[in-house]
Amino acid sequence: MDTVLKGVTPLRDYRLKLTFLNGSTAVVNMEKRVHTLRFARIAPKEIFSTARAEGDKVVWAVGTMPFSVYCGELLDAMLMD
């Protein structure tokens, strides 16, 4: 996937606002997902709030091992809600 993310803004209630290079935005609700095994590492609000864009991924600061998810995976999850 080409780099499409311009920025990520963590919002209240485990939501992420994704801003794309073309000016579009999307809000992804992660509230249910942070309680799954895949996303449990970002469940603490102080960790979730560290989300940032890095290329075509959203990255969270989790100790010495950052946790990242490709933008496409988040958009697919948004469509399933």
Side-chain angles (χ1 to χ4, degrees):
M1 174 182 270
D2 293 332
T3 301
V4 296
L5 276 178
K6 180 178 180 181
V8 175
T9 305
L11 304 172
R12 296 178 60 208
D13 300 324
Y14 294 108
R15 285 166 174 72
L16 294 173
K17 180 180 178 183
L18 307 177
T19 304
F20 300 93
L21 292 175
N22 68 2
S24 298
T25 61
V27 176
V28 180
N29 184 349
M30 299 288 293
E31 188 172 20
K32 292 179 187 174
R33 288 174 186 81
V34 296
H35 300 292
T36 65
L37 184 59
R38 166 105 166 89
F39 294 100
R41 293 175 60 199
I42 62 170
K45 291 187 185 258
E46 63 273 7
I47 292 174
F48 188 82
S49 67
T50 67
R52 69 183 189 284
E54 190 173 291
D56 58 348
K57 295 187 238 178
V58 176
V59 179
W60 288 267
V62 183
T64 60
M65 296 281 298
F67 178 79
S68 63
V69 177
Y70 282 98
C71 176
E73 182 180 350
L74 293 174
L75 294 175
D76 287 347
M78 182 181 77
L79 293 174
M80 292 172 31
D81 281 342

